[in-house]
Amino acid sequence: SSAESQMTEFVESLKIEKKQKDKLKEMYHIPWRLVDSGSIKLSLDLHFKQNGIRYNCDFKSGFSSNEKGNTNRLLLVASVYKLLKSNEKALLFVRQKESQNNNYFQTLKKSGLWEVYCANDCYKKLKEFSGADLRAWLDKNALWEDDITSAFYSHLKRNDLLKYLTW
């Protein structure tokens, strides 16, 4: 990779002993071995480049209980992308309104690693990138309550699941 060859070239240019150069190279490869081993998954939902910026996006329904592992993974992934290049941005799109998310969501938002967008702000940002007004399309075409049976609607209401019809 380009980053690896740049690092090797830099280490070789240092006026230090070969043993120290080898140790520096070895230390450099430790985090990359973790990534390559599958311990750290750098995959997100969407990657694209626009106006010279590489965007790394993840989409979540929301953050409720038991999200610590997912939050830690997202922080790690964004950290790695930030270290790779200065023109990398991590965007997090969350379906739920900000007030419906918990402290794990706030951890990501306050981290400085993610630009976070919730609910309708997601659609505004997506429209900026694509020109497509998905919010207007959903409002016109995704009429979930009209498309499900009253029995299913009652089931969703009884089990506090109606929030999943809100897109």
Side-chain angles (χ1 to χ4, degrees):
S1 82
S2 176
E4 185 174 356
S5 55
Q6 287 176 348
M7 188 284 304
T8 301
E9 188 177 312
F10 171 74
V11 169
E12 289 302 325
S13 74
L14 297 174
K15 294 181 182 358
I16 57 176
E17 294 178 18
K18 181 182 180 329
K19 186 176 178 179
Q20 292 171 312
K21 289 179 184 180
D22 291 344
K23 182 68 175 173
L24 278 174
K25 290 178 200 172
E26 176 64 24
M27 291 173 67
Y28 172 84
H29 285 96
I30 289 171
W32 294 111
R33 278 195 214 107
L34 289 172
V35 170
D36 290 340
S37 73
S39 300
I40 301 169
K41 301 264 189 250
L42 289 180
S43 61
L44 294 173
D45 294 328
L46 175 67
H47 304 275
F48 67 95
K49 185 175 179 179
Q50 193 173 65
N51 300 324
I53 299 172
R54 296 174 198 263
Y55 292 95
N56 304 291
C57 306
D58 209 342
F59 296 83
K60 298 293 177 206
S61 177
F63 287 83
S64 49
S65 61
N66 301 322
E67 294 284 345
K68 184 177 183 179
N70 192 31
T71 302
N72 289 340
R73 181 191 71 79
L74 288 169
L75 289 169
L76 180 60
V77 167
S79 297
V80 170
Y81 277 118
K82 189 171 187 169
L83 289 171
L84 290 176
K85 295 187 178 183
S86 61
N87 63 343
E88 300 276 340
K89 284 192 178 186
L91 306 178
L92 181 62
F93 296 99
V94 181
R95 178 192 57 82
Q96 290 179 334
K97 294 178 182 176
E98 183 170 347
S99 61
Q100 295 174 316
N101 290 287
N102 67 12
N103 62 312
Y104 292 122
F105 166 83
Q106 291 300 325
T107 298
L108 291 167
K109 185 177 178 187
K110 292 175 183 175
S111 71
L113 296 170
W114 288 94
E115 284 184 28
V116 178
Y117 300 92
C118 291
N120 285 334
D121 289 338
C122 293
Y123 296 102
K124 288 177 190 170
K125 193 65 177 175
L126 291 171
K127 185 177 179 183
E128 284 178 33
F129 286 122
S130 68
D133 191 346
L134 294 174
R135 175 76 273 151
W137 187 91
L138 284 168
D139 290 343
K140 181 179 176 185
N141 297 291
L143 308 172
W144 305 111
E145 291 178 30
D146 295 343
D147 294 334
I148 60 176
T149 65
S150 58
F152 186 50
Y153 180 85
S154 296
H155 168 78
L156 293 175
K157 188 172 185 173
R158 245 189 341 272
N159 293 287
D160 192 30
L161 298 171
L162 283 175
K163 59 190 167 197
Y164 294 103
L165 297 181
T166 304
W167 289 88

